[in-house]
Amino acid sequence: MSGATARRACAPTRRSPRRTCVGPDLTPPRKAAPRTWPVAASGSHTRVVELEVRHLRCLEAVVATGSLNKAAGLLELSQPALSAQVRRIEAVVGGEVFERCPSGARLTPLGEVLLPYAREVLRGMDTLARAVEGHHTAVIGRPLRLGVRTTPVALLLHEVASNLVEGDVAELVVLDRSVDALAALTRGDVDLVLHADFPGRQITPGAGVRMSPVGTEPVFACLPDDHPLAARTTIDLADLSGETWLLAVNGDDEFDRHLIEQCRLAGHTTLAVRAVEPLLLTQLMRRGGRVVTAMNALGSGLAIPGVVHDLRGSPVRTRHVLLWCENGGLVDKELIERLRTALVDAYRAALPHIGRIPRWWDRNHGWLGSAPGRAAR
């Protein structure tokens, strides 16, 4: 054994210093070590990717309730378990995300940065969960889900579909914007959409979405009873230059743009368009003056005062289309063709009862609702 080794072996054992009592059974409190968090080195991948969805749900629950105790109850966790999840978040992002306050817990500046991204991830995961659930849900026995744009033609779809399919038909889902209709189909929220578009603004189906035109119908013009052109049978769109168009608010401006474009082509140098709620539209039309409103070819049940006229050449028009996804669900080409045929027949049968100008289709062929054997536009 070397001398150095012998000295180490014979060295006395170092004992821990004896604690000094300040009073009976009292020990001086230890000073808490400062709290630190790991910080990602410059140029390295951030550790935020180590967070899991459960951590983000804990974050959102605390923000929503304003309290760790309430959030724990909402998530069906114990308060210590939730606190551990929060500490995990803080360890990953490198700082506190909540601070205690008299009212509970509130976000720190770092938490404010984290929250919107956490919510975006959660929304994406919820969408994914719905898509997966929809994929695994058995199609047999599920009701047919229909999306529609707000048009009188949409009122016919539910009855037509109920008579054709063997199972139930769910309540209509209103999807006035093209982007919403296509997204709902892609997500699997609806099985079929009866949508409408306009010349120059046709809907473009995305990947996996099929489209079948039903037909095109004219849009008429309604004038107050005291309007100078009210006595005419047919009106040229150019004659309405300088009028104020009253259009019902429907959540989409595609028709408004189509109307403006057609008026521009008719030589209108200026055009005043006012979007109003349907009840206000009725009041303004009853008041009279130099106003005009666009009218669907079929009545919707809301009585608009005034005189309805057709526009020469029908430059303002609406095309109705069926949209669906061929993914082995409830909708296939055969059902689409049967629906389209039944919808055209129902439209034609409704004209004598709710058509704005019922005899218009006798004089004009090739439109939705024209005599059988005439091609729809």
Side-chain angles (χ1 to χ4, degrees), residues 327-342:
N327 54 6
L330 293 176
V331 179
D332 54 21
K333 290 183 180 179
E334 180 183 356
L335 177 60
I336 288 295
E337 184 56 31
R338 292 168 60 205
L339 275 173
R340 194 196 69 79
T341 301

Side-chain angles (χ1 to χ4, degrees), residues 10-179:
C10 298
T13 304
R14 183 175 297 176
R15 296 181 178 179
S16 301
R18 182 177 299 175
R19 294 179 179 176
T20 305
C21 293
V22 203
D25 299 325
L26 294 179
T27 305
R30 295 180 180 179
K31 182 180 290 186
R35 193 174 184 184
T36 60
W37 294 267
V39 179
S42 176
S44 65
H45 290 289
T46 176
R47 295 183 60 193
V48 174
V49 294
E50 297 179 13
L51 290 177
E52 300 177 14
V53 174
R54 59 193 174 93
H55 298 130
L56 303 183
R57 294 203 185 280
C58 291
L59 174 71
E60 188 177 45
V62 176
V63 173
T65 60
S67 162
L68 266 72
N69 287 330
K70 293 180 181 178
L74 181 66
L75 297 171
E76 297 183 351
L77 296 174
S78 66
Q79 199 276 338
L82 178 59
S83 297
Q85 300 282 17
V86 172
R87 286 195 298 271
R88 172 61 178 167
I89 297 172
E90 294 176 334
V92 170
V93 300
E96 290 185 325
V97 294
F98 291 109
E99 61 180 354
R100 298 281 186 174
C101 60
S103 58
R106 63 185 177 190
L107 287 171
T108 63
L110 178 58
E112 295 283 357
V113 171
L114 180 62
L115 180 62
Y117 295 100
R119 285 176 170 169
E120 183 176 355
V121 171
L122 291 175
R123 283 194 296 269
M125 294 304 297
D126 289 341
T127 301
L128 174 61
R130 287 195 299 269
V132 172
E133 181 182 359
H135 177 76
H136 291 294
T137 300
V139 174
I140 303 301
R142 177 174 61 75
L144 181 67
R145 299 163 302 179
L146 305 175
V148 295
R149 189 176 181 129
T150 307
T151 66
V153 180
L155 300 176
L156 305 174
L157 180 63
H158 194 278
E159 181 177 358
V160 165
S162 298
N163 293 332
L164 285 180
V165 300
E166 295 181 1
D168 295 330
V169 178
E171 296 298 324
L172 299 177
V173 178
V174 176
L175 300 166
D176 276 327
R177 300 174 66 244
S178 299
V179 63

